[in-house]
Amino acid sequence: MRLEVTDQIFFKLFDFIRPIILDDVIIYAKPEYLWVSAMDSSHAILAQLKIEKNFFDGYQVEKEEILSAPVMELEKVLKAFSKFKRVLVESGEGVLNISSITEKKEKKMSTPLFDMEEVEPPSPSVAFTTLIQLDAEDFHSEIKDALLVGKD
């Protein structure tokens, strides 16, 4: 998996998930989209997000990958890169590598990934009756509005 990100909204998404989700996040990288799924430790709150590949400036997923990372560690690393204009996110052997793409300086960091044999993806035994589907532009606009009143 290789993602190129220039939109700061991507980094802010984890700011919204973090206060709710204390454990880990599971990222399903598929050729057409990225699916992020996380559940709180009491399994009362499920956060799921589907990000279409056209949201990213660069999106390469050859084959489906399932990645799981501790939310606190992932948030810290992503926050360190939130000020950069262009960021590259790549999956590696047991790590998620994140690097800046600038002419002036280069910054690289990694966050550990869990072995997926040890982490069971969250799957609630509840039938959801509501489905909300938004275009990426509308979602982008809503996140920007929420950031006006949200915490930094």
Side-chain angles (χ1 to χ4, degrees):
M1 175 190 78
R2 179 183 165 100
L3 311 172
E4 186 177 327
V5 182
T6 59
D7 196 328
Q8 297 302 307
I9 297 299
F10 178 77
F11 299 101
K12 293 293 185 180
L13 293 174
F14 286 91
D15 287 342
F16 287 113
I17 291 174
R18 173 63 189 93
I20 301 167
I21 309 301
L22 301 174
D23 295 332
D24 56 290
V25 62
I26 298 174
I27 301 168
Y28 300 90
K30 299 181 181 250
E32 295 299 315
Y33 59 87
L34 196 71
W35 181 267
V36 180
S37 182
M39 187 176 284
D40 71 323
S41 57
S42 68
H43 290 207
I45 300 171
L46 174 66
Q48 293 184 318
L49 180 63
K50 180 181 177 183
I51 307 171
E52 298 289 339
K53 72 178 186 179
N54 62 358
F55 175 85
F56 300 95
D57 297 287
Y59 187 90
Q60 293 176 331
V61 176
E62 305 289 322
K63 61 179 179 134
E64 186 173 316
E65 287 185 63
I66 302 174
L67 312 168
S68 182
V71 172
M72 290 174 75
E73 295 300 318
L74 183 58
E75 181 199 23
K76 287 176 190 174
V77 172
L78 288 176
K79 193 171 275 191
F81 285 90
S82 65
K83 303 295 184 216
F84 287 93
K85 298 283 186 223
R86 294 174 65 207
V87 175
L88 186 64
V89 180
E90 294 180 284
S91 58
E93 191 64 37
V95 295
L96 194 61
N97 298 308
I98 303 170
S99 56
S100 63
I101 306 170
T102 67
E103 294 175 12
K104 295 181 181 177
K105 74 176 190 178
E106 187 175 340
K107 183 175 186 175
K108 292 183 178 183
M109 294 178 82
S110 298
T111 186
L113 294 172
F114 293 127
D115 182 356
M116 284 309 296
E117 292 177 10
E118 297 175 12
V119 177
E120 184 178 324
S123 54
S125 59
V126 176
F128 293 99
T129 57
T130 303
L131 174 68
I132 299 173
Q133 187 170 354
L134 292 173
D135 289 333
E137 279 185 32
D138 293 338
F139 181 68
H140 187 268
S141 175
E142 294 299 322
I143 293 294
K144 277 187 172 180
D145 290 346
L147 289 174
L148 294 174
V149 295
K151 69 173 180 82
D152 279 324

